[in-house]
């Protein structure tokens, strides 16, 4: 189902709400990557790095909300849109996070379902967004991040960037001290003890060991361990490239959504009133 509405700041949101057959097991907020769209996330005939993740989640019995992340498929378009919104005092980053977070209201209004356990699953750029969404709200929703775990400074100094000198960077993220610094330990302090699962393809060129993948994850693990929640965070390296897998992440997410512990860890569950 295609959905359209406006955020309070006036920016329009467009997205897809996947509604499964039968009883709803929960709601999953899905953040897609820069090179994808909500429609592609539900199309298993599309050769896309989201790998029809939305459709898979929906087939497993979960309502899935996937909004369109404001961009036109590349970093230059993100920069331009972010600049236009900034000229009106609106943060593009906040708009993207708010669009994902609106899934609970969208689900309740269009399906009538309330009290569903809610999880988040972000891929590539969407992974960055769901991490910051949890940091901003503290909802403690079980969260999967796919295709994002690295040291941003190492990325900027690497050949991944230097061999593409003519390509614009997403500068409003990479060089903004209020956003880009929230990775690794800094981010973990904000979201811990939110259940967190990271999946990275073994051949994902933007999230390699050389770019700080294991180092950044170890930082986050250390924060969780020091807070007496060492088992709330995990990472899997699967045989693949920069793409969504779900092989271990989906069972992990379902287990946490169906666990009785969800009722105590999701601190603000059902706080949004229609």
């Amino acid at each position: 189902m295609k959905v359209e509405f406006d955020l309070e700041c006036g920016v329009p949101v467009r997205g897809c709400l996947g509604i499964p057959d039968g009883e709803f097991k929960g709601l999953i907020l899905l953040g897609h990557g820069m090179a994808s769209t909500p429609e592609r996330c539900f199309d298993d005939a599309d050769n896309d790095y989201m790998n029809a993740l939305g459709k898979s989640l929906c087939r497993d019995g979960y309502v899935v909300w996937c909004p369109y992340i404001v961009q036109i498929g590349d970093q230059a378009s993100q920069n331009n849109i972010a600049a236009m919104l900034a000229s009106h005092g609106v943060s593009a980053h906040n708009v993207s996070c708010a669009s994902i977070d609106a899934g609970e209201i969208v689900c309740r209004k269009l399906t009538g379902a309330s009290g569903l356990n809610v999880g988040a699953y972000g891929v590539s750029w969407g992974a960055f967004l769901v991490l910051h969404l949890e940091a901003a709200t503290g909802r403690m929703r079980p969260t999967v991040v796919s295709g994002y775990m690295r040291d941003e400074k190492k990325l900027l100094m690497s050949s991944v960037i230097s061999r593409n000198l003519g390509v614009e960077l997403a500068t409003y993220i990479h060089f903004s001290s209020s956003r880009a610094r929230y990775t690794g330990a800094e981010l973990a302090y904000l979201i811990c003890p939110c259940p967190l699962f990271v999946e990275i393809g073994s051949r994902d060129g933007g999230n390699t060991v050389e770019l700080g993948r294991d180092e950044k994850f170890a930082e986050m693990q250390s924060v969780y361990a020091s807070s007496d929640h060492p088992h709330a965070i995990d990472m899997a390296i699967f045989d693949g490239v920069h793409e969504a897998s779900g092989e271990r992440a989906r069972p992990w997410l379902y287990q946490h959504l169906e666990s009785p512990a969800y009722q105590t860890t999701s601190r603000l569950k059902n706080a949004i009133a229609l």
Side-chain angles (χ1 to χ4, degrees), residues 1 17-22 24 42 58 61-64 107 110-111:
M1 176 188 299
L17 184 70
I19 303 175
D21 296 328
F24 301 164
F42 291 91
C58 201
Y62 292 86
V63 181
V64 180
C107 176
L110 296 183
T111 70

Side-chain angles (χ1 to χ4, degrees), residues 122-190:
V123 182
S124 190
W125 190 259
F128 193 69
L129 294 175
V130 297
L131 283 170
H132 279 197
L133 176 59
E134 169 56 32
T137 63
R139 293 292 301 277
M140 294 298 175
R141 296 177 289 211
T143 299
V144 175
V145 295
S146 177
Y148 183 81
M149 185 57 59
R150 63 180 179 238
D151 184 315
E152 292 294 342
K153 291 182 180 178
K154 289 185 177 180
L155 174 70
L156 292 174
M157 297 172 66
S158 73
S159 62
V160 173
I161 299 300
S162 63
R163 67 169 176 253
N164 292 290
L165 293 179
V167 177
E168 289 188 59
L169 295 173
T171 51
Y172 73 101
I173 289 293
H174 288 296
F175 300 122
S176 173
S177 60
S178 63
R179 297 189 188 98
R181 72 184 183 195
Y182 291 119
T183 60
E186 296 88 349
L187 182 64
Y189 280 117
L190 294 176

Side-chain angles (χ1 to χ4, degrees), residues 1-215:
M1 176 188 299
K2 292 187 177 181
V3 181
E4 294 187 13
F5 59 92
D6 290 345
L7 293 174
E8 290 184 2
C9 63
V11 176
V13 175
R14 294 177 175 83
C16 292
L17 184 70
I19 303 175
D21 296 328
E23 184 179 355
F24 301 164
K25 295 181 180 179
L27 168 66
I28 297 176
L29 310 177
L30 178 59
H32 67 74
M34 192 186 301
S36 191
T37 66
E39 291 82 0
R40 298 181 77 178
C41 296
F42 291 91
D43 186 0
D44 52 14
D46 196 328
N47 186 21
D48 176 52
Y49 67 88
M50 293 297 295
N51 288 326
L53 179 60
K55 188 169 186 176
S56 296
L57 296 169
C58 201
R59 280 174 173 169
D60 290 339
Y62 292 86
V63 181
V64 180
W65 166 244
C66 183
Y68 180 66
I69 304 304
V70 181
Q71 41 86 33
I72 313 175
D74 57 25
Q75 290 180 334
S77 74
Q78 278 204 346
N79 291 347
N80 292 338
I81 292 171
M84 287 187 284
L85 289 175
S87 70
H88 292 277
V90 176
S91 163
H93 193 61
N94 289 355
V95 163
S96 296
C97 290
S99 298
I100 296 172
D101 199 38
E104 290 194 56
I105 296 177
V106 172
C107 176
R108 292 179 191 185
K109 285 193 172 183
L110 296 183
T111 70
S114 62
L116 294 178
N117 290 357
V118 184
Y121 200 132
V123 182
S124 190
W125 190 259
F128 193 69
L129 294 175
V130 297
L131 283 170
H132 279 197
L133 176 59
E134 169 56 32
T137 63
R139 293 292 301 277
M140 294 298 175
R141 296 177 289 211
T143 299
V144 175
V145 295
S146 177
Y148 183 81
M149 185 57 59
R150 63 180 179 238
D151 184 315
E152 292 294 342
K153 291 182 180 178
K154 289 185 177 180
L155 174 70
L156 292 174
M157 297 172 66
S158 73
S159 62
V160 173
I161 299 300
S162 63
R163 67 169 176 253
N164 292 290
L165 293 179
V167 177
E168 289 188 59
L169 295 173
T171 51
Y172 73 101
I173 289 293
H174 288 296
F175 300 122
S176 173
S177 60
S178 63
R179 297 189 188 98
R181 72 184 183 195
Y182 291 119
T183 60
E186 296 88 349
L187 182 64
Y189 280 117
L190 294 176
I191 67 176
C192 181
C194 172
L196 180 65
F197 189 92
V198 181
E199 63 170 15
I200 304 290
S202 59
R203 301 187 302 281
D204 184 341
N207 295 279
T208 62
V209 173
E210 293 75 17
L211 293 180
R213 181 194 71 199
D214 295 351
E215 174 187 340

